[in-house]
Amino acid sequence: MAQTRRPLIAGNWKMNGLTSDGIERTRALIEKMAAKAQPFDLLICPPATLLAPVAAALNGSAVRLGAQDCHAKASGAHTGDISAAMLKDIGCSHVIVGHSERRADHHESDHAVHAKAVAAIEAGLTAIVCVGETEAQRDAGKTAEVVTSQVLGSVPARANHESLVIAYEPVWAIGTGKTPTAAEVQEVHALIRETLAGQIGEAEAAQTRILYGGSVNPKNAKELLGLPDVDGGLVGGASLKADDFWAVADASR
Ligand code: 13P
């Protein structure tokens, strides 16, 4: 079944990048992607300020554009927020929802993440729903319980393999250089797929891409992205250098 899932390599730039370096990085990736047909999808998720200029630079490229968050409502009095329809309008195909940094910094609950994912799907975007346990939860042996309940609480029942991507990002692995073992990653991904099957049906779950995120780099990418239930990566730090990001993508082939 795994061979039907095309790897997705997504770069989450987080709150990094001004116009000049963001466009430079984008151009470098466009060039690499244009050289020949690749067996993976490449997605970049710049900060909101760079979505318009990056969209303009990407014009016609196979590199896809995603945002890092959206509001649950389509429009209205929500100062500082951006709706999924606005993201779609500007050229985004994807939006990350429920990243652990938003769950922590902005107190986003599974309920709020679910509402954002619904809004994203309604606007025609693919929602990348993030889940993952903290170090304390892992130490307490609660990884399976936490991840299962986040998937059940955050994933809309009407999602399918085209409108949904899941990203498993253990919070303690983000930006730390630490990762779970390959066996641990595979175990959680298989559990996520099983949980998903109960929500959106077995056939859809079998085709839905589940990404691993947390300290993915050119050195560990081959092992992590080669696991049976890992269908790509959500890459933070290593996505800020075009060569490193490309090396991670290359490892998925
Ligand atoms: P790092 O790759 O920097 O650990 O970040 C992972 C992440 O949070 C991607 O969304």
Side-chain angles (χ1 to χ4, degrees):
M1 220 39 183
Q3 60 272 30
T4 66
R5 297 190 300 265
R6 188 175 155 89
L8 171 64
I9 311 302
N12 176 7
W13 294 3
K14 307 192 179 183
M15 198 172 71
N16 295 292
L18 300 178
T19 313
S20 58
D21 56 294
I23 295 300
E24 195 180 319
R25 192 179 311 135
T26 302
R27 291 214 175 107
L29 294 171
I30 292 170
E31 203 171 302
K32 290 173 191 294
M33 201 64 177
K36 63 178 164 86
Q38 300 294 345
F40 51 78
D41 292 331
L42 201 71
L43 171 75
I44 50 177
C45 303
T49 49
L50 291 187
L51 289 173
V54 168
L58 286 179
N59 189 24
S61 163
V63 179
R64 318 290 299 276
L65 181 65
Q68 299 174 13
D69 179 47
C70 67
H71 196 274
K73 296 266 167 62
S75 64
H78 302 287
T79 303
D81 280 309
I82 300 175
S83 77
M86 292 167 176
L87 298 175
K88 175 81 176 167
D89 180 52
I90 209 167
C92 291
S93 53
H94 293 67
V95 60
I96 299 169
V97 293
H99 191 282
S100 62
E101 286 150 16
R102 291 208 60 90
R103 288 180 185 263
D105 296 354
H106 299 271
H107 313 292
E108 290 187 7
S109 62
D110 286 335
H111 184 74
V113 175
H114 180 275
K116 289 179 179 211
V118 167
I121 293 169
E122 268 170 12
L125 297 173
T126 298
I128 302 177
V129 176
C130 301
V131 297
E133 81 288 357
T134 63
E135 186 151 41
Q137 289 165 334
R138 171 160 289 248
D139 290 347
K142 295 205 158 114
T143 299
E145 186 188 320
V146 168
V147 169
T148 302
S149 109
Q150 286 178 329
V151 171
L152 291 174
S154 309
V155 173
R158 57 165 289 197
N160 61 37
H161 74 278
E162 281 171 347
S163 62
L164 174 74
V165 170
I166 303 273
Y168 169 55
E169 299 204 312
V171 178
W172 54 273
I174 295 176
T176 58
K178 293 192 277 186
T179 65
T181 64
E184 287 165 343
V185 171
Q186 170 55 27
E187 192 182 334
V188 176
H189 278 235
L191 172 70
I192 291 173
R193 200 175 302 287
E194 194 185 314
T195 309
L196 211 49
Q199 276 175 295
I200 64 172
E202 208 159 319
E204 285 300 329
Q207 292 183 76
T208 299
R209 293 186 282 194
I210 305 176
L211 314 184
Y212 169 77
S215 295
V216 175
N217 61 44
K219 288 207 179 88
N220 62 21
K222 190 105 209 151
E223 183 181 28
L224 292 167
L225 305 187
L227 295 166
D229 280 293
V230 175
D231 311 308
L234 183 53
V235 187
S239 75
L240 296 174
K241 286 197 183 132
D243 286 344
D244 285 355
F245 187 49
W246 189 257
V248 168
D250 217 29
S252 74
R253 65 177 71 246

